[in-house]
Amino acid sequence: MSVWYEITVRGTEDALRGLVAACEAAHGGKEAVVFGHDLDLEAGTLPQRLLELFAAGSHHLVFAPAALAEEVVAALRSRGREAGLELETVREVVRARVPFSAEAFSRDVAEKLRQKLVMGLPPGVEGENLEETEAQDPSARGAELYTPEHAYVYRIVGTFVGPLPGIIEMQRRARNLPFVKVKALELQTRPLETPERA
Amino acid sequence: MSAPHPLRLAAPAAFVLTLLTCPADAAQPAVDLGSVLPAWSALPFVGILLSIALFPLLSPRFWHHHYPEVAAFWTLALAVPFVAAYGRPAVGEILHMAIADYVPFIILIGTLFTIGGGILVRGTLRGSPIVNTTIMVIGTVLASWIGTTGAAVLLIRPLLRANRERRYTAHTVVFFIFLVANIGGTLTPLGDPPLFLGFLHGVPFFWPLSLWKEMLLVALLTLAAYVAVDAYHWRREDPSVRAPRTAPREPLRVEGRHNFLFLAGVLVAVFVSGIWHAGGVSILGVHQEIQNLLRDAFLLLMAAGSWLTTARRTREENEYTWGPIREVAILFAGIFATIIPPLLMLRAGEHGALAPAVRAVHSPAAFFWVTGGVSSFLDNAPTYLTFLSTALGRLFPGVPEREAILRLISEQGAYLQAIATGAVFMGANTYIGNAPNFMVKSIAEEAGVEMPSFFGYIARYTLPFLVPIFLLVTWVFFE
């Protein structure tokens, strides 16, 4: 499975998107870069949050698989300056994770959630600390006016862990399901041993 | 089902105990309790209303299993010191509330729910904006005649079935709560519990019909907003959902149609009891009109007729249980008991301990917003009674209630219009403003619709849609 890299760039988003589009086309269009703005990323440490607050709009994160990341870094180094773009850091994405929880009140929806969240996960993605519970209360069956309580409750809580593309897919999949709450994507990255090249 | 815990029966038992033990002349108050009761005697009333509002949000499982004990606690917290301090006059007030208000109220609610629960709409509808809007209109019109709860129970499942394939459905359920579970119930005493309580206290049966202008304005604007929102979401649906359906459709049909006859019987009985004066009798010292007793007996007959003539399968598919009637019986036993001191104090006007509250609300517009604001978070039936008493205490202090209400209608009609519309309309503002709201939310969630949270409902729907409409109502009718 391809390694992914996080590339931090200073400059305008429009210029960066233009440069990235050119790299994707040159790469044959087989792979795509993911922009950090398009993901719900956890803000991270306090310095990172402050940087995001005060430098909002001037710093951008992009994520790409190894071969495409190499082309983007090369393009930034060779013609980034004339587009007003500056390469800041390149880090390897070691692991991604996204916590989630869900609560449903019918067996149909519970089964649908189970199919989408527990079975058929993308390659390399695992469910960590998954807890599934079902509770039934026959006394709550039927319409209630002042004491609403569901006769059936299905709950699941856990974290998806794995490679970045698989976790992005799970975050997108969970967001499209009813009754699911998804938290921000958390990334574990490390600096490159040779930061000169991806 | 196990035998009920003794505490669960304490709230209605408090009433029964007084019926069995008090002397016949106990209902003749010797003192004006409203002018001597302390302000803190309203605390059990506040307590039970807050319990009904907050427990379902904060601890729904505890509340579901222990609401009778909580209701009993507040009932006894009022009844014991009240009777101990004031003796026979206090017992008389409790008896009067039980016989003149509580029993007829429970009989009507129970009858409407039993009859409505025997009507089942079957068939395959397609949740297009036209179909959804049509269902909303039907429900809004029906609500005044079969009750907001009855109309909601009748139509929510067909509406959910029609929208089963749609991705964006939550807005439809929210507007259903607005229109069918609240606004639609404005025009008759059967429509919403506050209006029936007003009727029991002397508001003429047809008086709510005079609110047709306010209701038409609010209903049309809310419906227009819904049409726009649903059209927007319809365009976002998958093309396969929007494509005309080619599969055979199950024809629309109504099972248990004969129950509409029973509903008509209820309507006629309530109406006749408002215009026919057959004399009075004394029940444990409480004067009760004969026509009211006959009405209540007739209503029970209608309920029994519906129960015996409706197929069990129809009720099972409606998920009909006695649960809601039990809830209303137990909780409103507590509400009707604990509301006695605040009503007495408010009606005493400047001479009562709640005089500052009476003075604070002083115009129809203020009554509309204060009644509505409180009704948004506390059940709208006792809220209506509270502010009706506030208005009577302000404008006709010391005048007997029935006479004061008739004078209110003829001399200061805008106040009652404001109180009634505030209580009925603004029950839609939150999930806890009116009884059917939470029920509809719960049914929708079990059908797979993710409903907004408590604050999400207010932020995304009440504030942008309802509040501007209510501001317009204030300007048009109450300024």
Side-chain angles (χ1 to χ4, degrees):
Chain A
M1 191 169 297
S2 176
V3 176
W4 277 61
Y5 291 92
E6 172 196 277
I7 305 168
T8 309
V9 180
R10 184 157 53 156
T12 65
E13 186 175 339
D14 285 347
L16 180 58
R17 286 193 183 265
L19 184 140
V20 162
C23 292
E24 287 170 342
H27 196 64
K30 293 189 288 290
E31 291 173 314
V33 164
V34 178
F35 277 75
H37 293 314
D38 297 333
L39 299 174
D40 179 17
L41 288 173
E42 198 197 40
T45 62
L46 179 59
Q48 288 169 326
R49 291 177 201 233
L50 288 174
L51 177 66
E52 197 173 305
L53 179 66
F54 291 108
S58 66
H59 283 73
H60 311 280
L61 288 177
V62 294
F63 301 90
L68 184 53
E70 208 168 297
E71 292 198 24
V72 171
V73 169
L76 283 167
R77 287 193 173 123
S78 64
R79 54 183 196 275
R81 193 177 294 274
E82 60 194 58
L85 298 170
E86 187 180 331
L87 175 67
E88 296 238 320
T89 60
V90 181
R91 298 175 69 87
E92 179 185 340
V93 179
V94 176
R95 204 168 69 149
R97 55 202 307 272
V98 62
F100 75 98
S101 63
E103 188 178 60
F105 308 108
S106 73
R107 292 182 192 279
D108 290 346
V109 174
E111 187 53 34
K112 187 179 173 187
L113 292 180
R114 208 176 273 128
Q115 295 281 341
K116 298 277 187 182
L117 299 176
V118 179
M119 303 179 224
L121 298 180
V125 174
E126 292 175 346
E128 193 176 77
N129 300 324
L130 275 181
E131 283 178 28
E132 279 183 277
T133 56
E134 279 182 305
Q136 297 182 66
D137 185 353
S139 73
R141 196 185 67 82
E144 291 170 318
L145 294 173
Y146 292 96
T147 63
E149 176 70 347
H150 296 289
Y152 172 83
V153 181
Y154 166 80
R155 290 190 181 91
I156 182 171
V157 64
T159 305
F160 296 120
V161 180
L164 181 62
I167 297 303
I168 291 174
E169 162 62 19
M170 286 312 298
Q171 191 184 54
R172 184 200 61 79
R173 188 190 291 185
R175 284 238 161 88
N176 282 330
L177 291 169
F179 303 102
V180 180
K181 291 185 175 57
V182 187
K183 292 197 174 171
L185 215 145
E186 301 165 14
L187 295 177
Q188 188 183 340
T189 61
R190 64 176 172 220
L192 294 178
E193 286 182 6
T194 53
E196 294 308 308
R197 28 177 317 128
Chain B
M1 186 182 293
S2 57
H5 191 281
L7 266 182
R8 291 172 172 244
L9 302 172
F15 280 142
V16 174
L17 195 61
T18 55
L19 289 174
L20 293 175
T21 59
C22 74
D25 65 347
Q28 304 302 317
V31 296
D32 175 16
L33 288 175
S35 58
V36 300
L37 279 164
W40 58 259
S41 63
L43 285 179
F45 176 60
V46 174
I48 195 170
L49 287 190
L50 285 177
S51 299
I52 292 170
L54 295 178
F55 271 119
L57 299 174
L58 300 176
S59 188
R61 188 162 288 272
F62 167 83
W63 180 242
H64 175 75
H65 290 284
H66 297 290
Y67 73 90
E69 289 94 321
V70 176
F73 169 77
W74 291 117
T75 303
L76 294 172
L78 181 277
V80 170
F82 187 45
V83 172
Y86 301 104
R88 285 182 179 184
V91 172
E93 291 290 347
I94 292 175
L95 277 179
H96 186 269
M97 186 61 85
I99 293 169
D101 277 354
Y102 175 70
V103 170
F105 181 80
I106 297 303
I107 287 175
L108 176 76
I109 298 294
T111 300
L112 286 177
F113 192 77
T114 300
I115 298 173
I119 304 172
L120 180 67
V121 177
R122 287 191 187 282
T124 308
L125 295 168
R126 182 160 160 264
S128 65
I130 292 177
V131 167
N132 288 344
T133 303
T134 304
I135 294 175
M136 295 288 189
V137 170
I138 292 171
T140 305
V141 171
L142 270 182
S144 277
W145 308 97
I146 69 173
T148 51
T149 302
V153 168
L154 182 68
L155 291 173
I156 185 58
R157 289 195 177 88
L159 184 66
L160 290 170
R161 281 200 307 272
N163 287 269
R164 194 166 36 204
E165 290 168 11
R166 287 186 61 169
R167 183 175 172 186
Y168 305 103
T169 311
H171 67 284
T172 292
V173 180
V174 172
F175 275 88
F176 183 89
I177 291 174
F178 286 175
L179 286 161
V180 179
N182 288 275
I183 294 164
T186 306
L187 298 180
T188 77
L190 302 186
D192 213 22
L195 300 177
F196 187 65
L197 287 179
F199 172 74
L200 291 177
H201 283 249
V203 178
F205 180 87
F206 283 121
W207 180 85
L209 272 178
S210 69
L211 303 174
W212 70 269
K213 295 184 293 296
E214 290 90 334
M215 184 201 157
L216 192 64
L217 179 66
V218 173
L220 284 178
L221 289 175
T222 306
L223 201 60
Y226 172 67
V227 168
V229 171
D230 198 35
Y232 164 75
H233 284 297
W234 179 249
R235 284 193 292 274
R236 297 172 70 203
E237 295 286 353
D238 196 87
S240 63
V241 171
R242 287 186 280 124
R245 199 175 280 177
T246 52
R249 295 197 297 171
E250 184 187 351
L252 209 61
R253 66 184 192 282
V254 179
E255 281 185 15
R257 281 190 304 274
H258 67 282
N259 282 288
F260 284 107
L261 290 174
F262 290 119
L263 284 171
V266 170
L267 186 67
V268 169
V270 174
F271 166 64
V272 168
S273 73
I275 59 170
W276 176 38
H277 298 288
V281 292
S282 179
I283 301 176
L284 295 175
V286 176
H287 175 84
Q288 185 61 315
E289 297 287 321
I290 291 174
Q291 66 272 12
N292 292 343
L293 297 173
L294 291 174
R295 173 199 67 213
D296 294 341
F298 189 77
L299 256 52
L300 288 173
L301 213 58
M302 294 294 99
S306 171
W307 181 257
L308 292 170
T309 60
T310 302
R312 193 173 184 172
R313 183 178 54 86
T314 302
R315 292 194 187 274
E316 283 172 2
E317 292 200 41
N318 260 335
E319 292 193 326
Y320 179 89
T321 67
W322 293 108
I325 298 171
R326 183 170 165 266
E327 288 175 4
V328 172
I330 291 174
L331 290 174
F332 274 81
I335 290 173
F336 278 116
T338 57
I339 204 175
I340 295 170
L343 291 188
L344 289 171
M345 288 188 280
L346 288 168
R347 275 189 232 136
E350 290 287 340
H351 303 289
L354 295 180
V358 172
R359 283 194 295 270
V361 193
H362 49 74
S363 68
F367 270 99
F368 178 68
W369 282 99
V370 175
T371 307
V374 177
S375 290
S376 302
F377 297 96
L378 304 179
D379 188 80
N380 62 358
T383 305
Y384 169 93
L385 265 190
T386 302
F387 286 97
L388 175 60
S389 297
T390 305
L392 296 179
R394 178 179 180 80
L395 299 168
F396 307 103
V399 176
E401 185 184 56
R402 287 184 179 264
E403 181 188 335
I405 284 177
L406 292 175
R407 286 183 63 186
L408 184 71
I409 291 171
S410 63
E411 297 171 29
Q412 304 280 359
Y415 283 87
L416 188 57
Q417 287 166 351
I419 293 166
T421 52
V424 174
F425 292 166
M426 297 208 206
N429 284 352
T430 74
Y431 283 133
I432 54 180
N434 195 16
N437 301 358
F438 240 137
M439 178 192 74
V440 169
K441 171 182 186 279
S442 190
I443 292 174
E445 286 175 335
E446 289 172 8
V449 179
E450 187 179 6
M451 294 295 291
S453 65
F454 179 84
F455 292 108
Y457 176 103
I458 296 171
R460 290 161 51 193
Y461 294 97
T462 301
L463 291 178
F465 294 109
L466 290 186
V467 170
I469 293 174
F470 296 150
L471 286 169
L472 183 64
V473 166
T474 309
W475 180 65
V476 172
F477 296 106
F478 302 126
E479 287 292 341

